[in-house]
């Protein structure tokens, strides 16, 4: 469900928290090998004293890929500095990432993922993706009797170019974004069981995008897809988001929190080509150009998110929780300004998600568990309709149950389970196709999936796990006429701490060499699949020094 009010646009379906490297951990050197020419080497070194710590982490990886003309090369660099002063604590960092990827496209044809020859093919061997990203931040914290002040300025920069092999004519896209932001937060000290978290987030961004056709498109497309540039625009934006959250411990057993966030996002769009449905030189296409460019314009989106949560400690081992939340996603620049056919402007609303979650967690003897029921309703869903217009008329509904549990069979053995059962449906029929799809299941949404694992740990230095992962089938199209059957996978993992300095990990994934699809859909009268990886053996050696 939605993230808390600490997070704004795009937090509709949750937030992933990525932990920074621990600067108090031992220095480590890791080497990993896997089948099909995969190698990864990582080095992390830290140093300093109680007042200052400095850390460096470097990772380089090469993957030959499990399909023809696929794989990647990737390099990452992380620098961190921690300072602990009398008044201020400061954590600063910089992350650099570079990726060169050879992209594999879908294989086509009914259950083509199960054909051992077809599943290795790559119909677009020239497809690629090159991306570079840099992020830098500094987090200043000062604590006193009245609370804690947090100040976090940051910089972000990203560039990418790739072959759009999934579009007719296979054009190339180049994009870049540069942003600077500031996050201010004040966490008050607790008084009478109450504490406040007040803050404001601000960001300035400039972005550019070009899409162009090198050479001529195939002959049957040349009347609609001209050579040269299709899009060339710049978007400058600013965002301001104040928020407040109250945490209230009403009693020893009952805690309540409530929050509100208000966000304003402003786009300034500059089209650097001729307006409308023309080629690069401003001339109309013989059969009408596929791509359309709106005139220069400004767009502003005002949104708010709310949350109300309750946490009741029934007993030492039982807890009930409930949460109501509402979140949003402002339309993205590509949805507003990357238009097609006759559409000259996209008047879009922000998608909104309202969610209610009820849960129970606790432990009984050897059994730990958490059960959650949720109901979510989404409005103003953005999609491209049957006229190739970007519109925000969609409505969807989501009902589900999530369970995670662990049962200790003995001091050496335990059983783990994590699963979800859900129904994701279209709640209206907004013009995606000519037929009525109200009540149909959403394409790409299985009714259930999960994992169970048997874990063996005879002593602290040795752990082994046998895992079964399962995913139900799902529809490939919104009319619910074509379906992927789902899959079941077995995995085996083990870790041996050979000494205080050396650890060895082994993995055998997809033990039975199941032929399955990571993704599947239905496009222009044909089933398409992204084949999953075959049986793979990998090893990881870690040296701490």
């Amino acid at each position: 469900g939605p993230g808390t009010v600490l997070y704004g646009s795009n937090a509709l379906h949750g937030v992933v928290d990525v932990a920074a490297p621990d600067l108090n951990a031992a220095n480590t050197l890791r080497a990993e090998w896997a089948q099909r020419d995969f190698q990864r080497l990582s080095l992390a070194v830290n140093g300093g004293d109680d007042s200052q710590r400095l850390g460096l982490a470097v990772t380089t990886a090469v993957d030959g890929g499990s399909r023809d003309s696929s794989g990647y090369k990737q390099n990452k660099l992380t620098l961190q500095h921690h300072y602990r002063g009398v008044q201020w604590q400061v954590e600063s960092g910089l992350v650099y990432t570079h990726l060169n990827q050879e992209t594999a496209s879908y294989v086509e044809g009914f259950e083509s993922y199960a054909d051992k020859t077809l599943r290795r093919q790559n119909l677009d061997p020239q497809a690629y993706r090159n991306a570079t990203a840099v992020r830098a931040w500094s987090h200043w914290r000062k604590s006193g009797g009245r609370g804690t002040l947090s100040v976090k300025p940051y910089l972000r920069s990203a560039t990418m170019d790739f072959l759009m092999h999934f579009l007719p004519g296979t054009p190339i896209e180049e994009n870049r974004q540069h942003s600077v932001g500031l996050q201010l937060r004040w966490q008050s000290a607790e008084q009478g069981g109450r504490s406040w978290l007040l803050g404001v987030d601000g960001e300035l961004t400039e972005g550019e995008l070009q899409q162009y056709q090198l050479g001529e498109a195939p002959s049957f497309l040349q009347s609609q897809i001209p050579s040269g540039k299709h899009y060339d625009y710049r978007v400058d934006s600013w965002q301001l988001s104040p928020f407040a959250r109250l945490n209230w411990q009403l009693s020893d057993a009952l805690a309540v929190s409530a929050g509100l966030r208000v966000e304003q996002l402003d786009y300034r769009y500059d089209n650097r080509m001729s307006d409308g449905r023309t080629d690069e030189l401003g001339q109309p296409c013989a059969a009408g150009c596929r791509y359309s460019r709106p005139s220069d314009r400004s767009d502003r989106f005002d949104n708010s998110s709310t949350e109300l949560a309750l946490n009741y400690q029934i007993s030492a081992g039982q807890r009930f929780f409930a949460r109501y939340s509402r979140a949003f996603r402002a339309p993205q620049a590509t949805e507003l300004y990357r238009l097609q056919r006759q559409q000259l402007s996209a008047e879009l609303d922000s998608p909104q998600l309202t969610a209610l979650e009820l849960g129970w967690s606790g432990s009984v003897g050897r059994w730990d568990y958490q059960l959650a029921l949720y109901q979510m309703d989404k409005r103003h869903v953005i999609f491209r309709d049957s006229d190739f217009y970007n519109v925000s008329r969609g409505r969807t509904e989501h009902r589900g149950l999530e369970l995670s549990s662990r049962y200790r069979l003995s001091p050496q053995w335990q059983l783990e389970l994590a699963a979800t059962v859900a129904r994701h449906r279209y709640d209206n029929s907004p013009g995606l196709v000519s037929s009525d799809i109200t009540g149909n299941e959403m394409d790409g949404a299985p009714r259930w999936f999960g994992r169970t694992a048997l874990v063996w740990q005879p002593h602290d230095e040795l752990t082994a796990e046998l895992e079964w992962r399962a995913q139900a089938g799902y529809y490939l199209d919104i009319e619910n006429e074509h379906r992927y059957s789902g899959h079941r996978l077995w995995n085996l993992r083990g870790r041996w701490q050979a000494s205080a300095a050396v650890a060895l990990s082994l993995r055998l994934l997809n033990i039975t060499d199941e032929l399955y699809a990571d993704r599947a859909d239905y496009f222009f009268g044909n089933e398409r699949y992204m084949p999953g990886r075959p049986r793979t053996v990998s090893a990881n050696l870690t040296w701490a020094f």
Side-chain angles (χ1 to χ4, degrees):
T4 68
V5 295
L6 275 65
Y7 307 95
S9 185
N10 292 316
L12 269 75
H13 295 284
V15 176
V16 177
D17 186 9
V18 181
D22 183 2
L23 296 193
N24 293 310
N27 300 331
T28 57
L29 177 64
R30 292 186 175 91
E32 185 175 356
W33 167 91
Q35 289 177 281
R36 286 166 286 279
D37 299 323
F38 176 85
Q39 299 96 35
R40 178 161 55 200
L41 187 65
S42 302
L43 173 67
V45 292
N46 311 307
D49 52 30
D50 291 340
S51 63
Q52 294 196 68
R53 301 289 295 177
L54 183 65
L56 167 69
V58 180
T59 299
T60 182
V62 178
D63 186 356
S66 59
R67 300 174 59 195
D68 298 337
S69 301
S70 66
Y72 65 84
K73 297 179 180 179
Q74 187 177 55
N75 298 301
K76 296 182 179 180
L77 169 68
T78 301
L79 287 172
Q80 286 192 116
H81 178 259
H82 291 184
Y83 169 74
R84 187 182 298 272
V86 177
Q87 292 187 325
W88 290 93
Q89 296 182 33
V90 184
E91 299 179 4
S92 302
L94 181 144
V95 176
Y96 168 84
T97 304
H98 181 71
L99 172 70
N100 293 118
Q101 178 182 5
E102 294 181 271
T103 308
S105 61
Y106 286 100
V107 295
E108 299 182 352
F110 179 67
E111 294 189 349
S112 54
Y113 65 88
D115 188 301
K116 291 187 177 181
T117 300
L118 291 178
R119 72 190 322 271
R120 287 190 57 85
Q121 293 181 354
N122 182 4
L123 300 179
D124 297 287
Q126 304 304 316
Y128 70 92
R129 182 186 306 270
N130 299 321
T132 300
V134 179
R135 300 190 303 276
W137 72 94
S138 187
H139 189 185
W140 295 63
R141 286 195 300 269
K142 181 180 180 181
S143 298
R146 302 182 62 181
T148 300
L149 174 65
S150 170
V151 182
K152 180 187 281 189
Y154 63 88
L155 298 168
R156 297 187 294 189
S157 178
T159 61
M160 181 169 64
D161 64 278
F162 64 101
L163 184 69
M164 305 176 76
H165 60 88
F166 45 85
L167 290 184
T170 60
I172 292 174
E173 177 186 317
E174 296 178 357
N175 64 63
R176 68 178 186 89
Q177 304 90 34
H178 307 299
S179 59
V180 57
L182 179 65
Q183 296 177 333
L184 297 175
R185 295 181 182 179
W186 167 257
Q187 175 72 61
S188 72
E190 184 176 315
Q191 292 184 344
R194 294 187 298 271
S195 66
W196 285 93
L197 176 61
L198 308 175
V200 60
D201 298 339
E203 183 175 285
L204 298 173
T205 303
E206 67 170 35
E208 295 181 351
L209 183 143
Q210 283 192 11
Q211 177 183 314
Y212 55 89
Q213 184 77 35
L214 284 178
E216 293 186 340
S219 56
F220 67 96
L221 294 171
Q222 290 178 11
S223 61
Q224 299 181 38
I225 301 179
S227 301
K229 291 192 291 186
H230 302 152
Y231 300 103
D232 183 358
Y233 64 76
R234 171 173 171 163
V235 177
D236 295 331
S237 69
W238 63 267
Q239 177 183 331
L240 189 66
S241 308
F243 59 89
R245 188 181 188 187
L246 170 66
N247 297 312
W248 193 352
Q249 191 73 40
L250 293 172
S251 68
D252 292 340
L254 179 60
V256 175
S257 65
L260 171 66
R261 183 186 186 94
V262 178
E263 182 168 299
Q264 181 175 320
L265 176 64
D266 184 90
Y267 289 125
R268 304 289 177 89
Y269 161 77
D270 176 22
N271 176 33
R272 298 190 289 202
M273 294 179 62
S274 58
D275 299 337
R277 194 181 180 190
T278 69
D279 65 12
E280 182 179 7
L281 302 177
Q283 300 300 315
C285 302
C289 295
R290 179 184 181 92
Y291 302 109
S292 177
R293 298 171 295 275
S295 304
D296 295 354
R297 57 181 292 167
S298 297
D299 291 279
R300 173 175 163 175
F301 298 94
D302 297 299
N303 293 290
S304 63
S305 60
T306 56
E307 63 170 327
L308 177 63
L310 177 149
N311 193 322
Y312 184 68
Q313 195 74 37
I314 300 171
S315 66
Q318 305 294 323
R319 180 174 67 95
F320 171 78
F321 58 91
R323 184 170 183 261
Y324 168 85
S325 55
R326 185 181 183 188
F328 62 91
R329 176 180 76 81
Q332 299 175 356
T334 52
E335 296 168 327
L336 289 165
Y337 311 125
R338 203 172 186 171
L339 307 181
Q340 293 191 19
R341 311 298 171 104
Q342 294 95 344
Q343 190 174 23
L344 296 179
S345 66
E347 306 300 330
L348 303 178
D349 295 320
S350 298
Q352 295 180 344
L353 181 70
T354 303
L356 176 64
E357 180 182 15
L358 303 175
W360 190 291
S361 68
S363 59
V364 178
R366 300 178 178 181
W367 186 28
D368 301 327
Y369 60 87
Q370 177 166 302
L371 177 69
L373 297 169
Y374 67 85
Q375 172 180 314
M376 299 191 296
D377 294 289
K378 200 171 182 180
R379 298 293 181 263
H380 308 303
V381 180
I382 297 175
F383 60 89
R384 194 181 298 277
D385 67 11
S386 55
D387 293 322
F388 292 87
Y389 284 18
N390 286 348
V391 295
S392 54
R393 297 193 299 263
R395 298 201 309 266
T396 61
E397 62 176 26
H398 315 263
R399 311 287 185 265
L401 176 151
E402 295 181 347
L403 171 66
S404 61
S405 67
R406 179 180 61 182
Y407 184 75
R408 292 176 290 278
L409 300 168
S410 72
Q412 296 181 352
W413 295 88
Q414 70 179 26
L415 190 64
E416 298 176 350
L417 172 68
T420 179
V421 179
R423 297 292 294 271
H424 307 276
R425 294 175 172 173
Y426 293 100
D427 197 30
N428 69 339
S429 190
L432 282 166
V433 290
S434 57
S435 60
D436 186 359
I437 63 170
T438 304
N440 283 12
E441 295 190 31
M442 297 184 67
D443 44 310
R447 291 191 181 183
W448 60 266
F449 59 88
R451 69 178 290 269
T452 184
L454 181 63
V455 181
W456 176 55
Q457 189 172 14
H459 47 78
D460 292 342
E461 291 76 24
L462 182 62
T463 303
E465 173 187 279
L466 178 63
E467 178 191 52
W468 183 67
R469 300 183 72 91
Q471 178 178 291
Y474 53 84
Y475 289 109
L476 308 182
D477 59 319
I478 58 178
E479 293 100 330
N480 290 181
E481 295 176 350
H482 303 85
R483 189 174 179 84
Y484 169 61
S485 59
H487 55 262
R488 320 286 184 266
L489 302 176
W490 288 93
N491 301 314
L492 181 64
R493 301 179 179 89
R495 187 177 190 275
W496 175 40
Q497 188 72 44
S499 68
V502 178
L504 175 65
S505 299
L506 297 174
R507 292 185 300 175
L508 176 58
L509 303 182
N510 193 5
I511 297 173
T512 60
D513 205 17
E514 176 82 7
L515 302 178
Y516 71 101
D518 272 330
R519 299 197 305 276
D521 72 3
Y522 189 79
F523 186 74
F524 276 100
N526 208 5
E527 290 90 350
R528 306 189 307 174
Y529 307 94
M530 196 65 71
R533 277 187 171 265
R535 179 169 50 232
T536 302
V537 177
S538 66
N540 186 313
L541 182 64
T542 302
W543 174 42
F545 60 95

